């Protein structure tokens, strides 16, 4: 199974690595329904050439449906799709999937088990002569570091290698846009970090515009140039990971990016008062009911001059961090804190806490 890297391939590579030129992909007012239930409700989103965009959202929010529409294997009920400004699909007419230059990598990245990696990678290259297809497939395998496994069958590979082989198959036709549906979901959690960053380098090198679907906010932050957060078939916020983490538009976005304590209060004289303390609320009208959200990680143990007193109810060692459940005066519900191990004495009961204002968010209550 040890195929020697082909010396001629390297030369060829120089001429062929131009790959496809990255394209922009625009979703314009995309609606979709299953049996009368709206699964997508007016999606407007442009993915820029060469950009890696993560489509993030809980299960059932419509991520897969949006990818399937982009790939051309599902049809929207309203709205259009534009590739480099050209309309490729409307409810009336649609460019067939194989003509779009859009590649799709499925959730379980199913490689064909009875085919070698080379055959798998050649699979989508039907437009080329057999020898051209072989060269291009080998090139793709080389990109993912599997050129020596060209003749191997998928079951001989580790999970991470299979993932890379599936990636090779997806990039072999040099798609202008590459769509990946939860590409890391089947992998061991300790493998994921490395495989994600390897995948990202490969996507950058291939210069394909990419949409990566995930339900994991950390994964999205690690990979994305921008994140589009989807909820119940609607985009709730689009921006860099930092923007969504630091300036969430609503409680849903905030809670997607970190664990929160949520308390409630009403604005009075430009302030809101809760058991966690008083916070500036001038941007809301007096009398407005607010959700006051505080990240678990926004609480630290104070060395004197705390913002708050608390009693430790439970604590759980998690390695680098310790999870505390705390009783605080004025709140019937316990609050949660995630603190660095070593910051709290083993026998601590009554403690003082500090709250980082950057980890507090105020939103108008929806209930
Ligand atoms: P996600 O990928 O974000 O988990 P999906 O796009 O798969 O979400 O699904 C969006 C919604 O559409 C869900 O409510 C789901 O139950 C529904 N749905 C998905 N596929 C079908 C189908 N083939 N028939 C009917 N409803 C479906
Ligand atoms: Mg899905």
């Amino acid at each position: 199974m040890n195929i020697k890297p082909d010396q001629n391939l390297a030369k060829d590579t120089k001429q062929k690595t131009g790959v496809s030129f990255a394209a922009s992909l625009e979703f314009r007012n995309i609606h979709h329904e299953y049996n009368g239930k709206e699964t997508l409700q007016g999606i407007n989103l442009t993915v820029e050439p060469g950009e890696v965009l993560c489509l993030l959202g809980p299960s059932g929010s419509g991520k897969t449906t949006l990818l399937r529409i982009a790939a051309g294997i599902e049809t929207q009920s309203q709205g259009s799709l534009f590739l480099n400004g050209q309309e490729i699909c409307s409810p009336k007419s649609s460019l067939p999937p194989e003509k779009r230059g859009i590649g799709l990598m499925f959730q379980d990245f199913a490689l064909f088990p009875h085919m070698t990696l080379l055959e798998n990678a050649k699979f989508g290259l039907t437009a080329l002569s057999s020898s051209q297809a072989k060269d291009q497939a080998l090139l793709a395998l080389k990109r993912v570091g599997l050129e020596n496994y060209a003749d191997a069958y998928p079951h001989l590979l580790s999970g991470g290698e299979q993932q890379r082989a599936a990636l090779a198959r997806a990039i072999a036709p040099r798609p202008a846009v590459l769509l990946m549906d939860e590409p890391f979901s089947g992998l061991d959690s300790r493998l994921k970090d490395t495989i994600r960053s390897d995948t990202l380098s490969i996507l950058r090198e291939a210069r394909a515009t990419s949409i990566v679907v995930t339900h994991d906010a950390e994964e999205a932050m690690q990979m994305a140039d921008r994140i589009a957060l989807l909820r119940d078939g609607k985009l709730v916020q689009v921006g860099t990971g930092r923007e969504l983490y630091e300036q969430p538009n609503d409680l849903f976005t905030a809670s997607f990016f970190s664990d929160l304590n949520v308390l409630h209060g009403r604005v009075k004289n430009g302030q809101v008062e809760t058991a966690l303390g008083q916070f500036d609320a001038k941007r809301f009208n007096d009398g407005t009911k607010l959700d006051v959200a505080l990240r678990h990680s926004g609480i630290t143990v104070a060395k004197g001059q705390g913002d708050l007193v608390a009693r430790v109810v439970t604590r759980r060692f998690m390695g680098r961090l310790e999870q505390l459940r705390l009783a605080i005066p004025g709140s019937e519900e316990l609050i949660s804190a995630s603190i660095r191990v070593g910051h709290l004495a083993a026998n601590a009961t009554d403690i003082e806490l500090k709250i980082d204002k950057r980890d507090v968010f105020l939103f108008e209550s929806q209930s």
Side-chain angles (χ1 to χ4, degrees):
M1 78 179 190
N2 273 329
I3 283 199
K4 274 228 205 99
D6 184 341
Q7 297 303 324
N8 292 321
L9 196 61
K11 270 184 250 143
D12 264 354
T13 311
K14 283 216 173 73
Q15 288 147 17
K16 289 184 184 168
T17 36
V19 195
S20 53
F21 288 97
S24 68
L25 178 67
E26 181 188 350
F27 299 88
R28 197 180 291 175
N29 191 32
I30 297 289
H31 287 257
H32 178 271
E33 51 190 66
Y34 280 119
N35 316 322
K37 181 180 168 276
E38 275 226 295
T39 40
L40 295 171
Q41 309 186 41
I43 302 294
N44 288 294
L45 178 67
T46 302
V47 193
E48 303 297 339
E51 180 180 34
V52 176
L53 180 121
C54 279
L55 191 58
L56 177 68
S59 176
S61 56
K63 308 181 294 296
T64 296
T65 306
L66 194 61
L67 279 204
R68 290 169 59 87
I69 289 171
I73 51 180
E74 187 71 51
T75 308
Q76 70 274 32
S77 53
Q78 251 189 76
S80 295
L81 215 63
F82 294 81
L83 192 67
N84 275 337
Q86 296 261 354
E87 188 170 43
I88 55 164
C89 159
S90 70
K92 288 195 208 103
S93 70
S94 169
L95 200 61
E98 65 279 8
K99 297 238 165 90
R100 292 186 178 192
I102 296 182
L104 177 61
M105 185 168 145
F106 289 100
Q107 190 151 2
D108 47 13
F109 53 80
L111 292 162
F112 304 112
H114 57 288
M115 292 186 188
T116 64
L117 293 204
L118 182 62
E119 288 161 348
N120 264 285
K122 270 175 76 174
F123 185 76
L125 304 176
T126 45
L128 301 178
S129 73
S130 177
S131 79
Q132 281 176 325
K134 183 183 171 193
D135 286 354
Q136 202 159 312
L138 278 172
L139 190 61
L141 287 173
K142 194 168 174 196
R143 280 228 154 113
V144 303
L146 288 176
E147 70 271 33
N148 292 336
Y149 290 85
D151 287 345
Y153 286 88
H155 71 268
L156 290 174
L157 307 182
S158 70
E161 287 164 343
Q162 288 188 21
Q163 201 272 346
R164 276 190 281 148
L167 184 58
R169 186 176 63 187
I171 63 175
R174 300 174 184 172
V177 177
L178 183 59
L179 311 172
M180 305 170 88
D181 196 354
E182 312 227 9
F184 312 107
S185 60
L187 298 172
D188 189 281
S189 71
R190 274 183 304 172
L191 267 180
K192 271 188 196 169
D193 256 17
T194 326
I195 291 174
R196 281 195 293 238
S197 60
D198 288 352
T199 303
L200 189 59
S201 324
I202 294 162
L203 293 180
R204 295 274 183 230
E205 209 186 297
R207 304 222 334 270
T209 305
S210 311
I211 304 182
V212 182
V213 162
T214 176
H215 59 264
D216 176 348
E218 270 191 34
E219 180 163 297
M221 286 193 280
Q222 189 188 355
M223 295 201 67
D225 295 314
R226 281 186 311 151
I227 297 173
L229 180 62
L230 202 59
R231 178 196 197 181
D232 295 340
K234 284 188 208 137
L235 282 178
V236 287
Q237 196 167 349
V238 182
T240 63
R242 184 163 203 152
E243 282 163 357
L244 270 65
Y245 184 86
E246 291 182 348
Q247 296 155 47
N249 284 344
D250 61 13
L251 191 60
F252 173 77
T253 305
S255 59
F256 216 84
F257 280 80
S258 43
D259 293 322
L260 302 172
N261 296 291
V262 184
L263 284 83
H264 308 281
R266 256 182 218 286
V267 182
K268 198 174 160 193
N269 303 325
Q271 302 272 314
V272 62
E273 171 122 38
T274 70
L276 293 169
Q278 212 176 40
F279 302 96
D280 179 56
K282 283 191 200 66
R283 63 194 171 95
F284 300 97
N285 293 330
D286 264 19
T288 309
K289 194 172 168 220
L290 297 186
D291 296 329
V292 178
L294 166 65
R295 285 196 230 277
H296 292 184
S297 57
I299 299 175
T300 46
V301 177
K303 313 236 177 334
Q305 300 215 322
D307 298 316
L308 200 63
V309 293
R311 174 160 293 173
V312 179
V313 179
T314 62
R315 52 199 293 188
R316 183 180 293 269
F317 177 81
M318 297 294 292
R320 198 174 74 85
L321 297 171
E322 199 174 352
Q323 279 169 4
L324 307 182
R325 298 281 288 154
L326 303 162
I328 56 171
S331 170
E332 280 173 24
E333 286 186 32
L334 299 180
I335 62 159
S336 300
S338 226
I339 61 157
R340 285 294 298 273
V341 163
H343 285 202
L344 193 60
N347 58 358
T349 49
D350 290 300
I351 61 177
E352 279 194 64
L353 302 174
K354 228 170 159 50
I355 288 175
D356 192 333
K357 291 260 171 24
R358 288 172 304 182
D359 292 311
V360 178
F361 303 99
L362 307 185
F363 304 109
E364 195 166 333
S365 281
Q366 296 305 313
S367 51

